[in-house]
Amino acid sequence: MLFSRVLHLEEFLSLSSGESDFFHQVLCKGDAERLPTVQELFEESLREQKLKLKSVPSPVLILQMPRSGNKFKMFKGILPNLSIDITDLIDDSKTVSLLSFFRR
């Protein structure tokens, strides 16, 4: 609401499902003993939801990470990444998988 109505911005992120939004809420299975990176959680979230990015998010990629409180923790912690590689997360019809290449 703040981005669209107050700042008059368009959504930063377009998904293969046809939806667009200002941020992506990372949804994945928790493991209290695991110490994942932001990259791993973002990839896992898109994979579990069977989603891809339509294009590079612009001007920024905002991720809402899983919450953890005093009593319930989804993860031991989440390791930050200095950068995130989204190359394999972009839905590009020009990309040919090795499997389809060898089936020709």
Side-chain angles (χ1 to χ4, degrees):
M1 184 185 238
L2 172 72
F3 290 118
S4 61
R5 292 188 182 168
V6 177
L7 300 175
H8 306 290
L9 296 173
E10 292 185 26
E11 288 89 357
F12 303 151
L13 142 87
S14 295
L15 300 170
S16 58
S17 65
E19 298 174 352
S20 57
D21 209 339
F22 293 102
F23 67 93
H24 176 73
Q25 182 177 4
V26 174
L27 301 172
C28 51
K29 297 175 184 172
D31 180 356
E33 298 303 313
R34 190 171 154 208
L35 193 61
T37 64
V38 172
Q39 175 87 40
E40 292 169 347
L41 291 179
F42 185 44
E43 289 174 355
E44 186 178 320
S45 177
L46 289 180
R47 187 174 47 252
E48 284 184 12
Q49 296 176 60
K50 296 180 173 87
L51 294 173
K52 289 239 178 188
L53 301 173
K54 279 189 174 179
S55 60
V56 176
S58 178
V60 66
L61 172 63
I62 301 174
L63 300 175
Q64 181 180 353
M65 302 309 292
R67 298 179 183 181
S68 59
N70 293 336
K71 295 181 182 179
F72 176 74
K73 296 209 182 270
M74 288 191 71
F75 300 101
K76 190 182 221 178
I78 299 174
L79 297 172
N81 293 84
L82 294 177
S83 63
I84 295 178
D85 181 7
I86 61 168
T87 306
D88 295 334
L89 305 177
I90 296 177
D91 188 20
D92 186 5
S93 58
K94 296 176 185 174
T95 303
V96 179
S97 69
L98 287 175
L99 186 57
S100 64
F101 179 76
F102 288 117
R103 287 185 179 170
R104 292 183 185 177

XYZ file of all heavy atoms in Angstrom:
840
model
N 0.816 -1.171 0.000
C 0.000 0.000 0.000
C 0.877 1.258 0.000
O 0.609 2.187 -0.744
C -0.934 -0.041 1.195
C -1.889 1.098 1.233
S -2.848 1.041 2.738
C -4.464 0.967 2.087
N 1.899 1.268 0.810
C 2.809 2.415 0.873
C 3.486 2.635 -0.473
O 3.530 3.750 -0.984
C 3.860 2.205 1.967
C 4.992 3.230 2.009
C 4.456 4.567 2.521
C 6.123 2.757 2.872
N 3.983 1.551 -1.077
C 4.699 1.674 -2.344
C 3.782 2.153 -3.465
O 4.150 3.015 -4.247
C 5.328 0.336 -2.751
C 6.470 -0.082 -1.894
C 6.411 -1.249 -1.154
C 7.617 0.683 -1.805
C 7.469 -1.653 -0.358
C 8.689 0.294 -1.011
C 8.606 -0.873 -0.287
N 2.582 1.556 -3.564
C 1.704 1.881 -4.685
C 0.932 3.182 -4.504
O 0.879 4.001 -5.410
C 0.742 0.725 -4.950
O -0.072 0.492 -3.822
N 0.344 3.391 -3.342
C -0.526 4.560 -3.165
C 0.213 5.828 -2.745
O -0.147 6.913 -3.161
C -1.618 4.248 -2.152
C -2.584 3.216 -2.677
C -3.750 3.046 -1.779
N -4.634 2.013 -2.308
C -5.608 1.491 -1.634
N -5.865 1.890 -0.408
N -6.367 0.563 -2.178
N 1.225 5.680 -1.922
C 1.934 6.860 -1.440
C 3.099 7.221 -2.357
O 3.253 8.369 -2.771
C 2.430 6.657 0.018
C 3.219 7.851 0.495
C 1.251 6.388 0.946
N 3.910 6.228 -2.701
C 5.089 6.485 -3.534
C 4.808 6.346 -5.030
O 5.666 6.650 -5.856
C 6.228 5.547 -3.119
C 6.682 5.690 -1.659
C 7.728 4.646 -1.320
C 7.208 7.092 -1.387
N 3.626 5.818 -5.379
C 3.212 5.652 -6.775
C 4.214 4.832 -7.585
O 4.625 5.218 -8.679
C 2.963 7.017 -7.436
C 1.995 7.864 -6.691
N 0.650 7.585 -6.627
C 2.176 8.977 -5.934
C 0.039 8.484 -5.881
N 0.944 9.343 -5.428
N 4.615 3.703 -7.027
C 5.558 2.808 -7.692
C 4.831 1.591 -8.246
O 3.776 1.203 -7.750
C 6.630 2.339 -6.700
C 7.544 3.416 -6.126
C 8.422 2.824 -5.033
C 8.397 4.023 -7.221
N 5.411 0.979 -9.268
C 4.894 -0.282 -9.786
C 5.619 -1.421 -9.084
O 6.711 -1.238 -8.556
C 5.116 -0.359 -11.294
C 4.275 0.650 -12.051
C 4.419 0.492 -13.547
O 4.726 -0.621 -14.017
O 4.227 1.495 -14.237
N 5.011 -2.601 -9.093
C 5.595 -3.756 -8.425
C 7.014 -4.015 -8.932
O 7.299 -3.849 -10.111
C 4.740 -5.012 -8.647
C 3.437 -4.993 -7.892
C 2.291 -4.340 -8.660
O 2.531 -3.843 -9.775
O 1.176 -4.313 -8.135
N 7.882 -4.443 -8.009
C 9.297 -4.684 -8.322
C 9.528 -6.058 -8.936
O 10.519 -6.285 -9.599
C 10.151 -4.608 -7.047
C 10.043 -3.308 -6.296
C 10.225 -3.278 -4.936
C 9.769 -2.114 -6.934
C 10.141 -2.097 -4.216
C 9.678 -0.917 -6.239
C 9.865 -0.913 -4.867
N 8.609 -6.973 -8.690
C 8.880 -8.366 -9.000
C 7.697 -8.995 -9.707
O 6.557 -8.841 -9.262
C 9.223 -9.013 -7.681
C 8.917 -10.330 -7.134
C 9.988 -11.302 -7.584
C 9.002 -10.234 -5.630
N 7.943 -9.677 -10.834
C 6.911 -10.384 -11.591
C 7.227 -11.867 -11.555
O 8.358 -12.285 -11.807
C 6.892 -9.916 -13.042
O 6.520 -8.566 -13.108
N 6.203 -12.676 -11.260
C 6.382 -14.120 -11.130
C 5.761 -14.863 -12.305
O 4.853 -14.352 -12.969
C 5.769 -14.606 -9.826
C 6.352 -13.994 -8.554
C 5.517 -14.367 -7.348
C 7.788 -14.434 -8.367
N 6.213 -16.081 -12.534
C 5.714 -16.912 -13.626
C 4.235 -17.245 -13.468
O 3.577 -17.606 -14.432
C 6.533 -18.205 -13.718
O 6.462 -18.914 -12.494
N 3.688 -17.100 -12.284
C 2.264 -17.368 -12.038
C 1.377 -16.246 -12.559
O 0.155 -16.358 -12.544
C 2.021 -17.543 -10.538
O 2.293 -16.330 -9.857
N 1.991 -15.147 -13.007
C 1.241 -14.001 -13.478
C 1.059 -12.944 -12.398
O 0.575 -11.858 -12.665
N 1.440 -13.261 -11.177
C 1.329 -12.311 -10.075
C 2.546 -11.383 -10.058
O 3.607 -11.727 -10.547
C 1.249 -13.053 -8.740
C 0.047 -13.942 -8.602
C 0.067 -14.767 -7.329
O 1.091 -14.761 -6.626
O -0.935 -15.411 -7.050
N 2.344 -10.211 -9.479
C 3.463 -9.296 -9.266
C 3.302 -8.671 -7.892
O 2.195 -8.580 -7.367
C 3.512 -8.231 -10.361
O 2.297 -7.523 -10.419
N 4.411 -8.268 -7.309
C 4.380 -7.731 -5.949
C 5.633 -6.903 -5.709
O 6.534 -6.856 -6.540
C 4.298 -8.860 -4.932
C 3.585 -8.451 -3.649
O 3.509 -7.238 -3.360
O 3.115 -9.351 -2.929
N 5.671 -6.286 -4.538
C 6.827 -5.489 -4.154
C 7.876 -6.320 -3.426
O 9.033 -5.934 -3.342
C 6.396 -4.318 -3.262
C 5.559 -3.323 -4.000
C 4.194 -3.294 -3.835
C 6.136 -2.429 -4.880
C 3.417 -2.375 -4.525
C 5.374 -1.515 -5.585
C 4.001 -1.495 -5.401
N 7.477 -7.461 -2.873
C 8.406 -8.322 -2.141
C 7.985 -9.779 -2.285
O 6.873 -10.074 -2.727
C 8.462 -7.925 -0.656
C 7.179 -8.177 0.091
C 6.983 -9.367 0.764
C 6.177 -7.228 0.117
C 5.807 -9.613 1.447
C 5.000 -7.448 0.809
C 4.809 -8.650 1.469
N 8.882 -10.677 -1.926
C 8.578 -12.113 -1.922
C 8.677 -12.616 -0.492
O 9.698 -12.410 0.176
C 9.552 -12.883 -2.809
C 9.337 -14.362 -2.757
N 8.258 -14.965 -3.362
C 10.033 -15.342 -2.147
C 8.316 -16.272 -3.124
N 9.386 -16.520 -2.396
N 7.603 -13.241 -0.018
C 7.630 -13.839 1.305
C 8.208 -15.239 1.169
O 7.649 -16.087 0.484
C 6.229 -13.913 1.905
C 6.224 -14.476 3.296
C 4.834 -14.478 3.922
O 3.858 -14.133 3.286
N 4.768 -14.865 5.168
N 9.342 -15.472 1.800
C 10.025 -16.766 1.711
C 9.261 -17.782 2.550
O 9.127 -17.637 3.760
C 11.495 -16.642 2.185
C 12.157 -17.992 2.240
C 12.258 -15.702 1.270
N 8.720 -18.801 1.864
C 7.986 -19.871 2.523
C 8.726 -21.177 2.283
O 8.955 -21.561 1.137
C 6.568 -19.978 1.951
C 5.697 -18.726 2.067
C 4.412 -18.911 1.287
C 5.414 -18.409 3.514
N 9.119 -21.838 3.340
C 9.808 -23.117 3.211
C 9.690 -23.880 4.526
O 9.298 -23.325 5.542
C 11.260 -22.933 2.799
S 12.161 -21.781 3.807
N 10.040 -25.152 4.461
C 9.974 -25.996 5.648
C 11.106 -25.641 6.600
O 12.243 -25.496 6.185
C 10.059 -27.465 5.256
C 8.902 -27.906 4.401
C 9.074 -29.322 3.924
C 7.924 -29.665 2.979
N 8.102 -30.933 2.323
N 10.767 -25.499 7.858
C 11.764 -25.139 8.859
C 12.508 -26.346 9.396
O 12.046 -27.478 9.320
N 13.683 -26.108 9.888
C 14.512 -27.125 10.532
C 15.341 -26.400 11.586
O 16.273 -25.664 11.253
C 15.409 -27.804 9.499
C 16.300 -28.871 10.102
O 16.290 -29.045 11.340
O 17.012 -29.536 9.337
N 14.973 -26.590 12.837
C 15.585 -25.835 13.935
C 17.100 -26.032 14.041
O 17.791 -25.214 14.638
C 14.913 -26.209 15.251
N 17.634 -27.092 13.454
C 19.075 -27.350 13.527
C 19.829 -26.833 12.312
O 21.042 -26.834 12.286
C 19.326 -28.856 13.686
C 18.750 -29.435 14.966
C 19.281 -28.726 16.212
O 20.503 -28.513 16.310
O 18.453 -28.361 17.067
N 19.110 -26.417 11.300
C 19.716 -25.986 10.038
C 20.146 -24.521 10.114
O 19.507 -23.704 10.763
C 18.685 -26.180 8.930
C 19.203 -26.006 7.558
C 18.154 -26.445 6.545
N 18.382 -25.731 5.310
C 17.461 -25.439 4.443
N 16.220 -25.799 4.646
N 17.760 -24.794 3.343
N 21.217 -24.190 9.407
C 21.720 -22.824 9.326
C 21.845 -22.442 7.843
O 22.944 -22.428 7.282
C 23.073 -22.723 10.043
C 23.619 -21.341 10.322
C 22.684 -20.552 11.221
C 24.990 -21.441 10.966
N 20.712 -22.146 7.182
C 20.739 -21.876 5.735
C 21.165 -20.447 5.417
O 21.171 -19.574 6.280
C 19.278 -22.093 5.336
C 18.525 -21.665 6.549
C 19.377 -22.094 7.728
N 21.482 -20.232 4.142
C 21.775 -18.882 3.659
C 20.495 -18.286 3.061
O 19.542 -19.017 2.755
C 22.867 -18.897 2.576
O 22.369 -19.612 1.445
C 24.155 -19.522 3.085
N 20.491 -16.993 2.872
C 19.360 -16.327 2.228
C 19.168 -16.900 0.830
O 18.050 -17.167 0.391
C 19.586 -14.799 2.181
C 18.524 -14.117 1.339
C 19.601 -14.224 3.587
N 20.273 -17.131 0.107
C 20.226 -17.709 -1.244
C 19.497 -19.049 -1.231
O 18.602 -19.291 -2.036
C 21.656 -17.895 -1.775
C 21.748 -18.605 -3.112
C 21.638 -17.671 -4.291
O 22.181 -16.590 -4.260
N 20.933 -18.090 -5.321
N 19.869 -19.934 -0.314
C 19.251 -21.260 -0.232
C 17.755 -21.159 0.058
O 16.949 -21.853 -0.564
C 19.923 -22.093 0.856
C 21.336 -22.493 0.556
C 22.064 -23.085 1.758
O 21.566 -22.971 2.903
O 23.143 -23.639 1.542
N 17.377 -20.291 0.964
C 15.962 -20.160 1.327
C 15.136 -19.572 0.185
O 14.013 -20.008 -0.068
C 15.809 -19.307 2.583
C 16.323 -19.939 3.871
C 16.138 -18.978 5.042
C 15.621 -21.252 4.159
N 15.688 -18.597 -0.530
C 14.983 -18.000 -1.657
C 14.774 -19.031 -2.768
O 13.667 -19.180 -3.300
C 15.752 -16.785 -2.163
C 15.058 -16.022 -3.259
C 13.709 -15.729 -3.198
C 15.771 -15.566 -4.352
C 13.081 -15.011 -4.206
C 15.156 -14.844 -5.357
C 13.809 -14.571 -5.288
N 15.818 -19.787 -3.113
C 15.714 -20.824 -4.136
C 14.707 -21.892 -3.727
O 13.867 -22.316 -4.521
C 17.078 -21.462 -4.387
C 18.052 -20.560 -5.094
C 19.436 -21.164 -5.212
O 19.692 -22.263 -4.673
O 20.290 -20.513 -5.857
N 14.790 -22.334 -2.474
C 13.893 -23.371 -1.961
C 12.435 -22.886 -1.981
O 11.534 -23.627 -2.359
C 14.313 -23.733 -0.542
C 13.576 -24.888 0.066
C 14.111 -25.206 1.468
O 15.336 -25.146 1.674
O 13.285 -25.516 2.336
N 12.216 -21.651 -1.613
C 10.872 -21.085 -1.592
C 10.249 -21.063 -2.990
O 9.105 -21.496 -3.182
C 10.909 -19.674 -1.013
O 9.642 -19.073 -1.042
N 10.992 -20.580 -3.971
C 10.478 -20.549 -5.338
C 10.257 -21.961 -5.876
O 9.256 -22.229 -6.542
C 11.415 -19.765 -6.252
C 11.465 -18.252 -6.038
C 12.442 -17.610 -7.014
C 10.098 -17.616 -6.162
N 11.184 -22.865 -5.579
C 11.069 -24.244 -6.051
C 9.829 -24.925 -5.458
O 9.057 -25.564 -6.174
C 12.342 -25.023 -5.707
C 12.404 -26.414 -6.298
C 13.741 -27.119 -6.071
N 14.244 -27.035 -4.724
C 15.281 -26.290 -4.332
N 15.923 -25.549 -5.204
N 15.671 -26.275 -3.079
N 9.603 -24.783 -4.148
C 8.450 -25.411 -3.490
C 7.135 -24.844 -3.993
O 6.136 -25.548 -4.059
C 8.549 -25.246 -1.975
C 9.557 -26.169 -1.343
C 9.576 -26.077 0.176
O 8.656 -25.463 0.761
O 10.510 -26.624 0.777
N 7.114 -23.563 -4.369
C 5.893 -22.939 -4.866
C 5.764 -23.058 -6.386
O 4.821 -22.539 -6.970
C 5.859 -21.468 -4.453
C 5.796 -21.286 -2.950
C 5.856 -19.821 -2.572
O 5.000 -19.047 -2.969
N 6.890 -19.437 -1.829
N 6.758 -23.726 -7.010
C 6.804 -23.912 -8.465
C 6.707 -22.563 -9.192
O 5.912 -22.387 -10.107
C 5.702 -24.863 -8.919
C 5.852 -26.267 -8.373
C 4.752 -27.166 -8.849
C 4.999 -28.590 -8.436
N 4.541 -28.976 -7.164
N 7.546 -21.628 -8.751
C 7.569 -20.285 -9.321
C 8.937 -19.960 -9.900
O 9.940 -20.520 -9.489
C 7.249 -19.239 -8.250
C 5.856 -19.247 -7.656
C 5.780 -18.270 -6.498
C 4.824 -18.899 -8.713
N 8.943 -19.037 -10.844
C 10.172 -18.459 -11.390
C 9.936 -16.957 -11.514
O 8.796 -16.497 -11.557
C 10.489 -19.050 -12.766
C 10.953 -20.487 -12.721
C 12.303 -20.557 -13.313
C 12.839 -21.970 -13.236
N 14.205 -21.991 -13.642
N 10.997 -16.211 -11.597
C 10.905 -14.774 -11.825
C 10.755 -14.543 -13.326
O 11.431 -15.187 -14.123
C 12.162 -14.069 -11.323
C 12.500 -14.233 -9.842
C 13.869 -13.610 -9.549
C 11.433 -13.595 -8.976
N 9.885 -13.631 -13.718
C 9.736 -13.314 -15.141
C 10.899 -12.476 -15.648
O 11.276 -12.560 -16.808
C 8.431 -12.567 -15.390
C 7.231 -13.446 -15.473
C 6.045 -12.627 -15.939
C 4.845 -13.493 -16.174
N 3.688 -12.697 -16.596
N 11.456 -11.656 -14.756
C 12.577 -10.790 -15.126
C 13.341 -10.427 -13.862
O 12.940 -10.768 -12.754
C 12.066 -9.523 -15.816
O 11.213 -8.813 -14.946
N 14.424 -9.731 -14.044
C 15.226 -9.276 -12.905
C 14.410 -8.245 -12.130
O 13.915 -7.282 -12.728
C 16.554 -8.650 -13.386
C 17.339 -8.093 -12.210
C 17.376 -9.676 -14.150
N 14.216 -8.446 -10.830
C 13.465 -7.464 -10.036
C 14.121 -6.087 -10.109
O 15.332 -5.969 -10.002
C 13.535 -8.015 -8.614
C 13.808 -9.470 -8.780
C 14.637 -9.589 -10.020
N 13.284 -5.075 -10.313
C 13.829 -3.733 -10.452
C 12.931 -2.746 -9.724
O 11.729 -2.831 -9.854
C 13.898 -3.375 -11.931
O 14.367 -2.073 -12.111
N 13.455 -1.871 -8.943
C 14.851 -1.507 -8.739
C 15.531 -2.332 -7.649
O 16.741 -2.212 -7.446
C 14.759 -0.044 -8.320
C 13.480 0.057 -7.583
C 12.562 -0.919 -8.282
N 14.763 -3.176 -6.927
C 15.329 -3.893 -5.792
C 14.562 -5.195 -5.562
O 13.407 -5.323 -5.961
C 15.272 -2.986 -4.529
C 13.844 -2.715 -4.116
C 16.045 -3.528 -3.377
N 15.217 -6.161 -4.948
C 14.570 -7.411 -4.534
C 14.416 -7.371 -3.020
O 15.407 -7.298 -2.294
C 15.418 -8.625 -4.945
C 14.948 -9.979 -4.413
C 13.570 -10.336 -4.949
C 15.954 -11.064 -4.780
N 13.168 -7.395 -2.558
C 12.897 -7.390 -1.124
C 12.366 -8.764 -0.738
O 11.400 -9.242 -1.335
C 11.858 -6.311 -0.745
C 12.360 -4.928 -1.145
C 11.543 -6.374 0.747
C 11.336 -3.823 -0.951
N 13.017 -9.400 0.230
C 12.603 -10.725 0.710
C 12.143 -10.632 2.148
O 12.819 -10.032 2.983
C 13.781 -11.711 0.622
C 14.355 -11.943 -0.764
C 15.583 -12.833 -0.669
C 13.320 -12.554 -1.687
N 10.996 -11.229 2.429
C 10.523 -11.334 3.806
C 10.908 -12.723 4.292
O 10.393 -13.726 3.818
C 9.015 -11.136 3.898
C 8.502 -11.210 5.314
C 7.002 -11.011 5.400
O 6.334 -10.688 4.426
N 6.461 -11.219 6.578
N 11.834 -12.773 5.216
C 12.381 -14.039 5.694
C 11.463 -14.668 6.741
O 10.663 -13.975 7.362
C 13.777 -13.824 6.284
C 14.773 -13.203 5.311
S 14.867 -14.042 3.714
C 15.589 -15.571 4.174
N 11.588 -16.004 6.944
C 10.787 -16.676 7.976
C 11.055 -16.066 9.347
O 12.185 -15.707 9.662
C 11.277 -18.121 7.936
C 11.948 -18.275 6.624
C 12.464 -16.928 6.244
N 10.008 -15.944 10.124
C 10.149 -15.343 11.451
C 10.564 -16.377 12.471
O 10.332 -17.569 12.317
C 8.817 -14.735 11.879
C 8.381 -13.634 10.965
C 7.078 -13.073 11.390
N 6.677 -12.061 10.413
C 5.581 -11.360 10.505
N 4.767 -11.547 11.509
N 5.288 -10.476 9.595
N 11.160 -15.887 13.517
C 11.478 -16.764 14.642
C 11.280 -15.965 15.918
O 11.706 -14.823 16.023
C 12.911 -17.292 14.552
O 13.818 -16.226 14.531
N 10.602 -16.567 16.855
C 10.333 -15.895 18.122
C 11.111 -16.535 19.249
O 12.021 -17.328 19.033
N 10.740 -16.196 20.451
C 11.427 -16.751 21.622
C 11.159 -18.238 21.793
O 12.037 -18.996 22.178
C 10.998 -16.006 22.884
C 11.488 -14.570 22.879
O 12.465 -14.259 22.223
N 10.792 -13.702 23.587
N 9.931 -18.666 21.498
C 9.554 -20.070 21.719
C 9.706 -20.927 20.468
O 10.021 -22.093 20.545
C 8.111 -20.146 22.210
C 7.922 -19.510 23.574
C 6.501 -19.632 24.025
C 6.326 -18.936 25.370
N 4.952 -18.999 25.840
N 9.438 -20.352 19.311
C 9.472 -21.122 18.069
C 10.508 -20.553 17.124
O 10.477 -19.375 16.797
C 8.097 -21.110 17.387
C 8.095 -21.799 16.065
C 8.140 -23.179 15.988
C 8.074 -21.067 14.899
C 8.149 -23.819 14.756
C 8.082 -21.707 13.667
C 8.113 -23.082 13.599
N 11.422 -21.396 16.696
C 12.439 -20.983 15.732
C 12.398 -21.942 14.546
O 12.524 -23.140 14.707
C 13.819 -20.996 16.361
C 13.961 -19.984 17.488
C 15.389 -19.529 17.592
C 15.548 -18.576 18.735
N 15.346 -17.213 18.377
N 12.222 -21.383 13.342
C 12.216 -22.214 12.142
C 13.626 -22.700 11.816
O 13.808 -23.798 11.320
C 11.652 -21.447 10.954
C 10.161 -21.227 11.037
S 9.481 -20.606 9.507
C 9.590 -22.026 8.453
N 14.605 -21.849 12.092
C 15.998 -22.181 11.815
C 16.853 -21.714 12.978
O 16.489 -20.796 13.702
C 16.474 -21.501 10.526
C 15.683 -21.889 9.314
C 14.706 -21.052 8.811
C 15.917 -23.098 8.682
C 13.962 -21.405 7.711
C 15.177 -23.471 7.579
C 14.197 -22.623 7.091
N 18.001 -22.338 13.097
C 18.973 -21.924 14.111
C 19.367 -20.467 13.889
O 19.576 -19.707 14.820
C 20.187 -22.847 13.993
C 21.195 -22.751 15.081
C 22.332 -23.702 14.757
C 22.788 -24.401 15.987
N 23.852 -25.369 15.690
N 19.434 -20.092 12.648
C 19.778 -18.746 12.219
C 19.726 -18.713 10.707
O 19.533 -19.739 10.067
N 19.880 -17.562 10.116
C 19.923 -17.428 8.660
C 21.171 -16.626 8.321
O 21.345 -15.506 8.795
C 18.662 -16.731 8.116
C 17.413 -17.549 8.456
C 18.780 -16.531 6.611
C 16.103 -16.874 8.085
N 22.040 -17.224 7.516
C 23.282 -16.557 7.118
C 23.018 -15.593 5.966
O 22.433 -15.986 4.958
C 24.324 -17.590 6.689
C 24.779 -18.571 7.764
C 25.667 -19.648 7.161
C 25.513 -17.834 8.865
N 23.414 -14.348 6.103
C 23.206 -13.390 5.011
C 24.176 -13.636 3.861
O 25.259 -14.172 4.054
C 23.482 -12.046 5.669
C 24.362 -12.352 6.824
C 24.028 -13.743 7.275
N 23.760 -13.270 2.667
C 24.621 -13.310 1.485
C 24.958 -11.875 1.104
O 24.116 -11.002 1.205
C 23.898 -13.947 0.297
C 23.626 -15.406 0.503
O 22.643 -15.764 1.127
N 24.485 -16.248 -0.035
N 26.177 -11.660 0.634
C 26.534 -10.334 0.136
C 25.869 -10.065 -1.201
O 25.584 -8.928 -1.560
C 28.049 -10.197 0.011
C 28.816 -10.241 1.335
C 30.307 -10.178 1.082
C 28.379 -9.088 2.234
N 25.615 -11.120 -1.955
C 24.892 -11.002 -3.221
C 24.100 -12.291 -3.428
O 24.414 -13.320 -2.845
C 25.858 -10.772 -4.383
O 26.712 -11.881 -4.520
N 23.080 -12.205 -4.266
C 22.240 -13.371 -4.556
C 22.243 -13.594 -6.056
O 21.988 -12.660 -6.832
C 20.795 -13.157 -4.047
C 20.797 -13.045 -2.528
C 19.887 -14.288 -4.488
C 19.439 -12.796 -1.930
N 22.545 -14.818 -6.476
C 22.558 -15.178 -7.893
C 21.158 -15.668 -8.270
O 20.721 -16.715 -7.819
C 23.597 -16.269 -8.143
C 23.684 -16.668 -9.598
O 23.037 -16.022 -10.452
O 24.396 -17.643 -9.892
N 20.461 -14.895 -9.110
C 19.098 -15.272 -9.506
C 19.044 -15.814 -10.935
O 17.962 -16.010 -11.479
C 18.127 -14.086 -9.349
C 18.530 -12.919 -10.236
C 18.004 -13.670 -7.898
C 17.477 -11.839 -10.344
N 20.202 -16.087 -11.517
C 20.273 -16.546 -12.908
C 19.354 -17.735 -13.161
O 18.578 -17.728 -14.115
C 21.725 -16.929 -13.271
O 22.574 -15.835 -12.966
C 21.839 -17.288 -14.732
N 19.416 -18.750 -12.324
C 18.610 -19.952 -12.528
C 17.164 -19.786 -12.068
O 16.347 -20.681 -12.258
C 19.237 -21.139 -11.792
C 20.590 -21.522 -12.366
O 20.819 -21.255 -13.562
O 21.421 -22.075 -11.622
N 16.840 -18.665 -11.472
C 15.492 -18.437 -10.960
C 14.629 -17.629 -11.926
O 13.452 -17.429 -11.694
C 15.564 -17.706 -9.613
C 16.425 -18.381 -8.538
C 16.480 -17.518 -7.293
C 15.888 -19.757 -8.220
N 15.236 -17.181 -13.040
C 14.499 -16.391 -14.023
C 13.931 -17.316 -15.088
O 14.630 -18.155 -15.638
C 15.400 -15.318 -14.662
C 15.841 -14.326 -13.589
C 14.682 -14.603 -15.793
C 16.788 -13.265 -14.066
N 12.634 -17.162 -15.342
C 11.935 -17.959 -16.340
C 12.274 -17.390 -17.713
O 11.808 -16.325 -18.084
C 10.423 -17.901 -16.089
C 9.655 -18.859 -16.961
O 10.254 -19.816 -17.480
O 8.437 -18.646 -17.126
N 13.123 -18.102 -18.438
C 13.578 -17.635 -19.738
C 13.302 -18.719 -20.759
O 13.902 -19.787 -20.710
C 15.066 -17.293 -19.677
C 15.573 -16.669 -20.969
O 14.754 -16.410 -21.872
O 16.777 -16.451 -21.067
N 12.430 -18.476 -21.673
C 12.058 -19.489 -22.659
C 13.216 -19.842 -23.588
O 13.193 -20.873 -24.246
C 10.866 -19.013 -23.481
O 11.171 -17.802 -24.124
N 14.241 -19.000 -23.649
C 15.395 -19.270 -24.514
C 16.341 -20.290 -23.894
O 17.165 -20.869 -24.585
C 16.147 -17.978 -24.800
C 15.336 -16.985 -25.570
C 16.093 -15.703 -25.747
C 15.214 -14.665 -26.417
N 15.863 -13.367 -26.475
N 16.229 -20.513 -22.594
C 17.101 -21.457 -21.930
C 16.679 -22.882 -22.282
O 15.521 -23.232 -22.181
C 17.026 -21.280 -20.393
O 17.358 -19.935 -20.088
C 17.970 -22.229 -19.686
N 17.637 -23.695 -22.721
C 17.350 -25.077 -23.092
C 17.998 -25.982 -22.059
O 19.192 -25.877 -21.803
C 17.902 -25.396 -24.502
C 17.637 -26.843 -24.876
C 17.321 -24.447 -25.527
N 17.204 -26.870 -21.486
C 17.787 -27.786 -20.505
C 18.600 -28.855 -21.226
O 18.364 -29.151 -22.399
C 16.691 -28.446 -19.674
O 15.953 -29.333 -20.464
N 19.548 -29.440 -20.522
C 20.363 -30.502 -21.112
C 19.507 -31.694 -21.513
O 19.731 -32.311 -22.540
C 21.443 -30.962 -20.123
C 22.607 -29.989 -19.918
C 23.530 -30.515 -18.837
C 23.367 -29.786 -21.207
N 18.500 -32.001 -20.725
C 17.632 -33.141 -20.999
C 16.903 -32.934 -22.321
O 16.888 -33.820 -23.172
C 16.637 -33.330 -19.864
C 15.745 -34.554 -19.926
C 16.584 -35.817 -19.991
C 14.820 -34.592 -18.747
N 16.319 -31.775 -22.550
C 15.591 -31.533 -23.809
C 16.563 -31.416 -24.985
O 16.222 -31.764 -26.108
C 14.718 -30.282 -23.697
O 15.520 -29.145 -23.516
N 17.792 -30.947 -24.730
C 18.786 -30.850 -25.787
C 19.153 -32.237 -26.322
O 19.239 -32.450 -27.527
C 20.036 -30.146 -25.272
C 21.117 -30.013 -26.283
C 21.031 -29.062 -27.289
C 22.228 -30.835 -26.259
C 22.023 -28.929 -28.239
C 23.237 -30.712 -27.203
C 23.125 -29.751 -28.199
N 19.332 -33.220 -25.428
C 19.734 -34.560 -25.842
C 18.582 -35.368 -26.421
O 18.800 -36.357 -27.084
C 20.381 -35.315 -24.692
C 21.755 -34.802 -24.362
C 22.020 -34.238 -23.139
C 22.774 -34.867 -25.291
C 23.285 -33.756 -22.832
C 24.053 -34.383 -24.999
C 24.307 -33.824 -23.767
N 17.352 -34.952 -26.207
C 16.191 -35.662 -26.731
C 15.945 -35.326 -28.204
O 15.154 -35.971 -28.844
C 14.943 -35.336 -25.922
C 14.948 -35.978 -24.572
C 13.644 -35.712 -23.880
N 13.632 -36.357 -22.576
C 12.728 -36.165 -21.668
N 11.733 -35.330 -21.894
N 12.783 -36.774 -20.521
N 16.607 -34.303 -28.728
C 16.388 -33.896 -30.126
C 16.881 -34.921 -31.089
O 17.707 -35.668 -31.030
C 17.073 -32.566 -30.399
C 16.426 -31.449 -29.676
C 17.102 -30.178 -30.044
N 16.544 -29.102 -29.238
C 16.964 -27.871 -29.280
N 17.938 -27.540 -30.093
N 16.427 -26.958 -28.545
